Every structure is written in structure tokens, then in C-alpha cells.
């Protein structure tokens, strides 16, 4: 058999890789998975991700420090005299308060005048309802009297002509009773509607008083705010004047202090950058120490043995075959036992 045939045969043989890790979650493949040369088989991705985030954070801090400008102080110039403040005028706020007080007094006066009247029924509607109720009682009494009279005539067996006449009269008085009922209902509806309108008017008057009080509070608040702003402005003006008087004698001393601060800021930034670079180097060293196993060839994950614990480590064996034998039975019996060592110190590969 020539060398090329032997090479092809060796490439097609299954490859066994012994894997020893700190945690079974480091395994990144599963049975039946197709993998390519260079694909990750085992890696502590959580620790690698954590260190990568730390690395990115440190790099960001480095970039921020490098991009942060430290301005050099300008040599101060002679200050200009402070202008006097104009006189304080609050005529607009005071006028608003006076107008709000007058509006509140008017609203309260109207409410006090109308409250008693609006809390009682409308006299006209109440009289109309009482008249309608009296008319109903009269009509009902007439109907009762007519019915009793007709019954008496029947008991006396008077002539049918007289009974027909009286029955016609009964229909009339009953019609009047229906009209009285209708009139009473209408009068009651008008009385209820009038009461609703009166309550709505009373509520509106109460709202007007509250609105007037609110407007007065707003006007007083604006006046107080104007006073506070004026006092603050006067305080700032006096403070600026005092500062300006002292500044002329301290100009050179202040400028010298700012130069010292500028030089110290430069030194602090350089020190911080040096510390961050050390941290970045340490993180990169830790990343380099995290073991990662990659697939040495293309193929399919044929088998993953159950994990066994030995001295705090988890050990398993992964079989990679050139073709997908997952659908075949007994394929593992045809695997050979030739051995090859992987580049990762914690793993061992066999063919």
C-alpha cells in the first residue's frame, strides 16, 4: 500500500480525545454534531467572557483618559468694575395679587348670597307641583263620587238612559284624572330639573371660589419668587463685588496655583494610564492561561463518554469520526486504538 493510501486511511480513522476539565460545562460539542478543523471543543467560556469584559472595560477607561482634555489655564486679565443693579420693582406682581383678592371676594360674596336660595326648591316650580297634586286629588275624588253615584243608581234600578248619561260623565272625570296625573308628572319633572340646575349652579359658584383662591395663591407665589430672585441677585452682586476687590491682589497667586493643578493633573493622568496598562497586561496573561481545545480535523462527534471525577477534575473521552455513523449500530466496535497526543496539556487524543 502506497503512502497516499495510508494517509487517506489514517484520516478516515476515528479520533479519540481524552478531555480533563474543571467543569463539564466547558464542553462545547454534543453527540452527532458536525465539527470542522479549528472548532472549539472545550473552553471555559464564562471565565473568558468575564475577562474579555474586564479587558474591554479597562481599554475603555484608557481611551477615556487619553481622550480627556486637560485645558491649560489662561493668564487672567484685569477685571472690569461691577455694574450697579437697577431698583427693584414689583408693581406687576402686586397688581396681580390685588386683582386676585378682588376676584376671590366677589366669588365668595356671590356664593354666600346664592347658597341659601339654591339649596331650596324653586318657589314657582314647587307651587306648580303642589297645584298639580291638588288637582289630581280633586279629579280622583270626582271619579270616586261619580262611581259611587252610578252604583247607587244601579242599586235603585233607575232607567238605562240616566245610567248612560252618568257613565258618560264618569268617562269625562276619568279623562280629567288622567290629565291631572300627566300634569303632576310634568310638574315633578320640572321641579327635579330645576333642583339639578340649582345644584350645578351652586357647584360652579364653589368652583369659582376655589379657582379665585388658587389664582391668589399663584399670584402670591410669583411675588414671593420675585422677591427671592431679587434677594439672590443682590447677594450675588455683592459677592461678585467683594470677589473682584480681592481678585486684583490675588491674580498672580491664583494663576500660579492653577498652573500647579494643571501639572498635577497631567501627572495623575499618566499614573492612571500606567496602572490601567498593568491591569490590562494582567488580564491578557489570565486569558492566555485559559486552556482551549480545538478540533484537529473535520468530522462528526461520534461518542462522548460519561464524565468521571478524579482529583477535583472531570474526565471524558470524545470520539470524532470522519463520517456520521450515528445511524449505525455497533459502529463503536470498529474504532481503532491508535493514540495521538493533542496540543492541550489537559487532553489526550487517540486514533
Amino acid at each position: 500500500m502506497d503512502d497516499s493510501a495510508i494517509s487517506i486511511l489514517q484520516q478516515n480513522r476515528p479520533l479519540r480525545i481524552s478531555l480533563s476539565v474543571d467543569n463539564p460545562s466547558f464542553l462545547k460539542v454534543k453527540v452527532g454534531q458536525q465539527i470542522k478543523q479549528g472548532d472549539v471543543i472545550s473552553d471555559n467560556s464564562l471565565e473568558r467572557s468575564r475577562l474579555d469584559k474586564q479587558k474591554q472595560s479597562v481599554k475603555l477607561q484608557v481611551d477615556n483618559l487619553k481622550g480627556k482634555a486637560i485645558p491649560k489655564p489662561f493668564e487672567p486679565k484685569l477685571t472690569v468694575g461691577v455694574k450697579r443693579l437697577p431698583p427693584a420693582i414689583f408693581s406687576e406682581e402686586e397688581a396681580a395679587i390685588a386683582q386676585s383678592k378682588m376676584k376671590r371676594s366677589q366669588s365668595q360674596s356671590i356664593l354666600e348670597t346664592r347658597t341659601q336660595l339654591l339649596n331650596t326648591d324653586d318657589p314657582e316650580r314647587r307651587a306648580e307641583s303642589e297645584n298639580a297634586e291638588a288637582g289630581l286629588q280633586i279629579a280622583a275624588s270626582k271619579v270616586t263620587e261619580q262611581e259611587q253615584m252610578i252604583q247607587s243608581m244601579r242599586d235603585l234600578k233607575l232607567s238605562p238612559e240616566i245610567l248612560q248619561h252618568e257613565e258618560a260623565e264618569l268617562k269625562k272625570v276619568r279623562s280629567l284624572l288622567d290629565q291631572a296625573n300627566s300634569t303632576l308628572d310634568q310638574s315633578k319633572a320640572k321641579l327635579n330639573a330645576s333642583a339639578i340646575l340649582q345644584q350645578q349652579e351652586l357647584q360652579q359658584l364653589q368652583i369659582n371660589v376655589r379657582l379665585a383662591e388658587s389664582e391668589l395663591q399663584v399670584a402670591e407665589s410669583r411675588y414671593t419668587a420675585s422677591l427671592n430672585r431679587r434677594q439672590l441677585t443682590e447677594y450675588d452682586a455683592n459677592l461678585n463685588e467683594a470677589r473682584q476687590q480681592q481678585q486684583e491682589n490675588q491674580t498672580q497667586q491664583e494663576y500660579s496655583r492653577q498652573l500647579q493643578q494643571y501639572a498635577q493633573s497631567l501627572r495623575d493622568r499618566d499614573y492612571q494610564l500606567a496602572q490601567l496598562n498593568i491591569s490590562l497586561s494582567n488580564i491578557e496573561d489570565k486569558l492566555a492561561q485559559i486552556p482551549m481545545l480545538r478540533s484537529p480535523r473535520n468530522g462528526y462527534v461520534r461518542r462522548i463518554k460519561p464524565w468521571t471525577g478524579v482529583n477535583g477534575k472531570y474526565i471524558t473521552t470524545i470520539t470524532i469520526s470522519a463520517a456520521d455513523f450515528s445511524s449505525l449500530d455497533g459502529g463503536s466496535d470498529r474504532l481503532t486504538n491508535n493514540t495521538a497526543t493533542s496540543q492541550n496539556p489537559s487532553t489526550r487524543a487517540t486514533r
Side-chain angles (χ1 to χ4, degrees):
M1 184 178 295
D2 57 9
D3 293 341
S4 61
I6 294 174
S7 176
I8 294 174
L9 181 60
Q10 290 178 348
Q11 291 178 0
N12 291 331
R13 287 179 177 178
L15 173 66
R16 286 198 183 113
I17 299 176
S18 295
L19 180 64
S20 176
V21 295
D22 294 332
N23 193 305
S25 64
F26 292 0
L27 184 63
K28 304 302 179 183
V29 296
K30 58 184 179 180
V31 175
Q33 178 180 343
Q34 182 180 8
I35 57 176
K36 297 181 180 179
Q37 184 176 359
D39 286 353
V40 176
I41 294 179
S42 173
D43 183 26
N44 187 354
S45 57
L46 292 177
E47 180 65 13
R48 187 179 301 279
S49 175
R50 187 183 68 82
L51 292 175
D52 282 335
K53 291 179 180 179
Q54 288 186 0
K55 181 178 177 181
Q56 294 299 325
S57 177
V58 173
K59 284 185 175 180
L60 182 60
Q61 295 179 50
V62 171
D63 293 338
N64 289 337
L65 281 176
K66 290 181 178 180
K68 183 179 180 181
I70 303 177
K72 186 177 181 179
F74 293 98
E75 185 175 359
K77 298 180 181 180
L78 294 177
T79 57
V80 181
V82 179
K83 294 183 179 180
R84 294 294 178 181
L85 292 175
I89 300 175
F90 303 103
S91 57
E92 182 177 352
E93 290 81 357
E94 293 171 348
I97 291 176
Q99 183 177 2
S100 298
K101 287 182 177 179
M102 182 178 63
K103 186 175 180 180
R104 183 187 62 177
S105 298
Q106 292 176 348
S107 301
Q108 290 177 340
S109 177
I110 295 174
L111 176 62
E112 292 173 358
T113 303
R114 297 283 295 168
T115 297
Q116 184 176 1
L117 180 62
L118 294 175
N119 282 329
T120 57
D121 292 335
D122 185 348
E124 181 179 354
R125 298 301 181 190
R126 169 56 64 183
E128 182 180 352
S129 178
E130 291 175 353
N131 291 335
E133 188 173 356
L136 177 63
Q137 292 176 356
I138 293 172
S141 177
K142 289 182 178 180
V143 170
T144 302
E145 291 176 357
Q146 187 68 20
E147 289 176 347
Q148 291 176 354
M149 185 176 64
I150 291 174
Q151 184 62 37
S152 298
M153 290 180 178
R154 288 176 178 171
D155 293 340
L156 296 174
K157 297 181 180 181
L158 297 180
S159 64
E161 290 80 4
I162 296 175
L163 288 175
Q164 289 177 357
H165 174 74
E166 295 303 328
E167 287 176 353
E169 289 297 325
L170 178 61
K171 291 181 180 179
K172 290 180 181 180
V173 294
R174 284 178 176 174
S175 176
L176 293 176
L177 178 62
D178 293 337
Q179 292 178 3
N181 272 321
S182 176
T183 302
L184 179 60
D185 292 340
Q186 292 177 2
S187 64
K188 287 182 178 180
K190 291 179 181 180
L191 182 61
N192 292 333
S194 176
I196 293 173
L197 291 176
Q198 289 179 188
Q199 289 301 314
Q200 290 177 348
E201 182 181 352
L202 181 60
Q203 291 175 359
Q204 185 61 48
L205 293 176
Q206 294 171 346
I207 291 172
N208 292 341
V209 172
R210 290 195 293 269
L211 289 176
E213 292 176 348
S214 177
E215 290 179 2
L216 177 58
Q217 292 176 359
V218 171
E220 291 175 344
S221 298
R222 289 177 178 173
Y223 178 66
T224 302
S226 298
L227 285 176
N228 293 335
R229 285 195 298 270
R230 177 64 184 189
Q231 292 174 358
L232 181 60
T233 302
E234 291 176 352
Y235 172 78
D236 290 340
N238 294 332
L239 184 62
N240 290 334
E241 185 176 0
R243 287 176 178 174
Q244 186 173 356
Q245 291 174 357
Q246 296 178 359
Q247 186 175 1
E248 293 179 357
N249 299 327
Q250 299 176 353
T251 301
Q252 294 301 325
Q253 182 180 357
E254 180 67 17
Y255 179 58
S256 176
R257 186 184 66 82
Q258 291 178 357
L259 285 177
Q260 292 176 1
Q261 288 182 347
Y262 172 71
Q264 183 63 39
S265 297
L266 293 177
R267 290 192 295 270
D268 291 344
R269 184 179 65 178
D270 294 339
Y271 175 78
Q272 292 177 5
L273 286 174
Q275 293 296 320
L276 289 174
N277 286 328
I278 293 174
S279 299
L280 187 61
S281 178
N282 291 335
I283 294 173
E284 290 177 346
D285 291 342
K286 291 180 181 179
L287 283 171
Q289 293 174 4
I290 298 177
M292 177 188 292
L293 176 63
R294 296 181 180 273
S295 176
R297 54 183 272 186
N298 299 336
Y300 294 85
V301 178
R302 178 68 180 86
R303 175 190 293 178
I304 299 176
K305 286 188 176 182
W307 293 97
T308 57
V310 179
N311 296 328
K313 296 285 186 178
Y314 294 88
I315 300 174
T316 187
T317 301
I318 303 173
T319 303
I320 300 176
S321 45
D324 184 7
F325 293 103
S326 60
S327 61
L328 301 178
D329 295 332
S332 59
D333 297 336
R334 295 191 294 270
L335 300 178
T336 61
N337 296 322
N338 295 330
T339 302
T341 303
S342 68
Q343 296 178 354
N344 192 299
S346 63
T347 61
R348 183 176 70 256
T350 61
R351 290 189 178 182

